[in-house]
Amino acid sequence: MEKFFIIANWKSNKTTDEAIEWLREISKIKDHNLKIILCAPFTALYPLKLLIEKSGLPIKLGAQDISPFPDGAYTGEISARMLKDLGVGYVLVGHSERRRYFGETDIQVAQKVRMALDFEIIPIVCVGEFNQFINILNKLETKELAKIIFMLEPPGAISVQTGPVGQGEAESVQNVVEMIKKMKRFTPASNFFYGGSVKSHNITNFLSQPEINGVVTGTASQNAQEFIKMIENAAKI
Ligand code: PGA
């Protein structure tokens, strides 16, 4: 039976060779009942898709962003149709780093959610705090809400924003649970993930909470051995 989701967000890291090497290391652990989603850079998606298909690895591909527009004259954008073609089943939308460095707005987030859903890609909508959640909620329809996943990522808990890479402090489990309970009242049909400095030593604290359907791990997921430890620990819950 499938249990929890564990999402690896590599951020803007890894060449195709490095991506393939990571996947080869991960392939050593096959027996788990977790749902693993790998959000890789666009450039690594195709080689990863080929390798996943060939090896039968129980890993689904995700993207880290998606165009708010369909195919067309939008230079530099990667459309939902292109992602679907690469076997992408999930996409992070509105990550705090996209908002912070690229000025992404709630309106764009809602457009991206719509594009993803049109191509049956599940959007993982990132929200840093309650007001942002409400703003996005107001831009979506009830039937859309049932299909999306919200990822609570308090900005102070993202590891690279609180000090040296990988040294961040996760939000307290109690705070996360309280915030998710509050948000869930507005959209009971949605699933909720937590993201922010999730590592092998704290992953079970989050996943053992019934309110938390999955975790997103960024910096720590880039190291295959650390990611394997996370999977092994989560599989014991
Ligand atoms: P982090 O990133 O694990 O490096 O804090 C989390 C995220 O990208 O959501």
Side-chain angles (χ1 to χ4, degrees):
M1 193 185 76
E2 275 165 0
K3 267 166 98 183
F4 316 111
F5 286 83
I6 301 183
I7 297 89
N9 172 23
W10 284 351
K11 308 181 189 246
S12 187
N13 292 290
K14 294 202 193 289
T15 62
T16 46
D17 281 352
E18 289 162 356
I20 286 168
E21 181 51 32
W22 184 97
L23 200 66
R24 284 199 204 287
E25 288 190 51
I26 295 297
S27 65
K28 288 170 199 153
I29 41 158
K30 277 201 171 131
D31 296 325
H32 60 76
N33 54 0
L34 310 164
K35 197 154 183 177
I36 298 174
I37 302 165
L38 171 56
C39 293
F42 293 132
T43 46
L45 290 172
Y46 188 61
L48 289 170
K49 167 187 151 78
L50 295 183
L51 195 58
I52 289 171
E53 278 172 2
K54 199 169 143 200
S55 61
L57 269 175
I59 291 186
K60 300 247 182 295
L61 274 183
Q64 299 174 11
D65 193 22
I66 188 169
S67 174
F69 300 108
D71 290 3
Y74 305 104
T75 301
E77 287 298 297
I78 308 290
S79 72
R81 198 172 76 94
M82 296 173 198
L83 292 177
K84 189 73 189 175
D85 179 53
L86 290 178
V88 165
Y90 296 82
V91 62
L92 295 172
V93 177
H95 192 284
S96 60
E97 287 149 14
R98 302 271 344 143
R99 294 170 183 274
R100 183 177 163 145
Y101 301 115
F102 305 97
E104 199 159 301
T105 64
D106 291 338
I107 292 175
Q108 288 168 327
V109 169
Q111 285 175 313
K112 290 179 179 196
V113 166
R114 218 144 274 155
M115 285 311 311
L117 289 176
D118 279 354
F119 283 85
E120 290 172 350
I121 297 173
I122 297 176
I124 303 173
V125 180
C126 310
V127 289
E129 37 84 32
F130 187 69
N131 286 344
Q132 199 173 60
F133 165 74
I134 293 293
N135 281 342
I136 292 173
L137 209 66
N138 288 337
K139 293 181 177 50
L140 299 172
E141 291 169 28
T142 314
K143 68 173 190 322
E144 293 172 325
L145 288 170
K147 293 183 196 147
I148 72 178
I149 295 166
F150 281 101
M151 196 262 272
L152 174 64
E153 47 156 13
I158 302 284
S159 58
V160 284
Q161 293 177 26
T162 49
V165 173
Q167 299 295 304
E169 283 292 324
E171 186 70 41
S172 83
V173 177
Q174 199 189 346
N175 280 356
V176 173
V177 168
E178 273 166 27
M179 283 168 85
I180 290 179
K181 274 188 181 160
K182 194 169 157 192
M183 294 192 288
K184 205 152 180 104
R185 281 206 289 272
F186 292 80
T187 171
S190 305
N191 278 325
F192 282 84
F193 293 174
Y194 166 73
S197 299
V198 173
K199 304 187 181 91
S200 59
H201 72 84
N202 62 14
I203 191 166
T204 56
N205 300 346
F206 292 102
L207 287 181
S208 52
Q209 307 298 320
E211 291 81 7
I212 304 176
N213 308 107
V215 289
V216 177
T217 158
T219 311
S221 74
Q222 291 158 36
N223 180 307
Q225 294 314 316
E226 171 67 0
F227 194 67
I228 289 172
K229 262 191 238 158
M230 285 193 254
I231 294 172
E232 286 172 349
N233 290 350
K236 286 184 207 142
I237 299 176

